[in-house]
Amino acid sequence: MLAGHRIGNAGPARNGKAITGVDTRLTAGPEGPRLSGTRFYSTGALFAHWIPTRAVGPDGGPLLVFVRRDAPGVRVVDDWQGFGQRTTASGSVIFAEAPVEADLTIDLAPLAGRPGLFGPVSQLIHAAIDAGLARGAVAAALDFLRTRTRPYPFTAETVAEDPHILGEVGRLTVDLHAAEAVLARAGGTLDRIAAAPVTAQSAAEASVAVAQAKILTTEIALEASERLLELAGASATRETYNLGRYWRDARVHTLHDPVRWKYHLLGNHALNGVLPARHQWN
């Protein structure tokens, strides 16, 4: 099916009481299945060949449906207005009686009550994105400091000799390496758990490991992207350098999965032995 083609995404509905609500429906007809509904947070759909999305089947059961980007009735709208993630095209996808090949639907009902790693894997990917933003911000800060930033008057001959900047760069480097190490450990934990039948206990263990990584990658993404501008100085805010993109992207992306609930999850598990709720890993 792929043959070098790109897979996008048609994410949660924009409106509704819960982000998990699904009002996109697959109906049966004389000419085959047809998909109708509107989805948002559709990162990558504008550039994709195939768009997967969740839907409700004719019998009311949950489905994962793959739709061709160029199929009749598929419209991708570039209406993302966030101040970050500007090039991800995370806007709307509208399905209007879009034809779907019968063998490109996956019945999710058998998985609904079974422990799995859908949540932890998805959150690990987002944590990795945040780690990448942090790494990019630190690299940009080092480059700007070496090539463009002037030392504060009467403190040092060069920026490289400024003790405060050296200390801040050292702290950022340590925090970045720590976040990346915990992220790698979480990935290893998921690999180990996935190699055996997943249980409620092991799925919860995966959620705990990923929550730890999500906390650290969120914090370093925000810290590094903010500190980049502080260390580099006023000239770094010029639009020509576009360094503000690191903070905009980190600030917007880390809002999708509020890290405050990760602290609650870890605290409740450590103090009370409470396993993460099922929605954390399904």
Side-chain angles (χ1 to χ4, degrees), residues 212-230:
Q212 293 170 344
K214 185 67 169 63
I215 287 173
L216 293 187
T217 56
T218 292
E219 290 180 346
I220 187 58
L222 294 172
E223 179 187 18
S225 57
E226 168 70 21
R227 201 55 54 87
L228 157 62
L229 300 174
E230 180 182 340

Side-chain angles (χ1 to χ4, degrees), residues 99-189:
V100 176
E101 298 177 36
D103 59 348
L104 293 180
T105 63
I106 300 174
D107 184 6
L108 299 179
L111 304 177
R114 184 185 306 172
L117 297 178
F118 301 110
V121 169
S122 174
Q123 292 179 21
L124 186 73
I125 292 171
H126 286 291
I129 291 171
D130 294 334
L133 288 170
R135 183 185 296 180
V138 170
L142 294 176
D143 178 68
F144 207 93
L145 288 169
R146 292 184 184 117
T147 59
R148 294 183 177 88
T149 302
R150 295 178 294 184
Y152 192 74
F154 313 115
T155 60
E157 289 295 322
T158 66
V159 168
E161 297 172 319
D162 186 317
H164 296 290
I165 286 181
L166 291 176
E168 290 299 318
V169 168
R171 187 165 64 85
L172 280 178
T173 302
V174 169
D175 289 347
L176 175 61
H177 289 173
E180 290 179 330
V182 174
L183 178 68
R185 187 179 69 181
T189 298

Side-chain angles (χ1 to χ4, degrees), residues 187-272:
T189 298
L190 263 63
D191 285 342
R192 173 176 56 79
I193 291 173
V198 179
T199 65
Q201 182 68 41
S202 64
E205 180 187 352
S207 291
V208 168
V210 174
Q212 293 170 344
K214 185 67 169 63
I215 287 173
L216 293 187
T217 56
T218 292
E219 290 180 346
I220 187 58
L222 294 172
E223 179 187 18
S225 57
E226 168 70 21
R227 201 55 54 87
L228 157 62
L229 300 174
E230 180 182 340
L231 295 177
S235 62
T237 63
R238 295 174 186 169
E239 288 288 350
T240 186
Y241 300 129
N242 196 27
L243 294 180
R245 73 186 187 278
Y246 291 105
W247 182 85
R248 292 194 303 270
D249 289 346
R251 181 64 283 177
V252 170
H253 186 257
T254 55
L255 291 175
H256 292 331
D257 185 18
V259 76
R260 61 183 177 272
W261 283 105
K262 305 304 179 189
Y263 286 105
H264 175 273
L265 180 157
L266 294 177
N268 207 16
H269 180 263
L271 184 61
N272 301 316

Side-chain angles (χ1 to χ4, degrees), residues 52-129:
T53 189
R54 292 206 175 209
V56 176
D59 61 353
L63 300 173
L64 179 64
V65 182
F66 284 78
V67 188
R68 290 191 61 91
R69 163 72 174 83
D70 57 358
V74 176
R75 185 159 65 98
V76 180
V77 184
D78 190 10
D79 58 350
W80 174 250
Q81 296 180 355
F83 61 68
Q85 298 181 251
R86 292 179 176 177
T87 60
T88 60
S90 301
S92 301
V93 174
I94 301 171
F95 302 105
E97 294 291 313
V100 176
E101 298 177 36
D103 59 348
L104 293 180
T105 63
I106 300 174
D107 184 6
L108 299 179
L111 304 177
R114 184 185 306 172
L117 297 178
F118 301 110
V121 169
S122 174
Q123 292 179 21
L124 186 73
I125 292 171
H126 286 291
I129 291 171

Side-chain angles (χ1 to χ4, degrees), residues 36-49:
S36 296
T38 299
R39 310 295 283 174
F40 197 63
Y41 298 112
S42 304
T43 302
L46 192 65
F47 318 114
H49 298 91

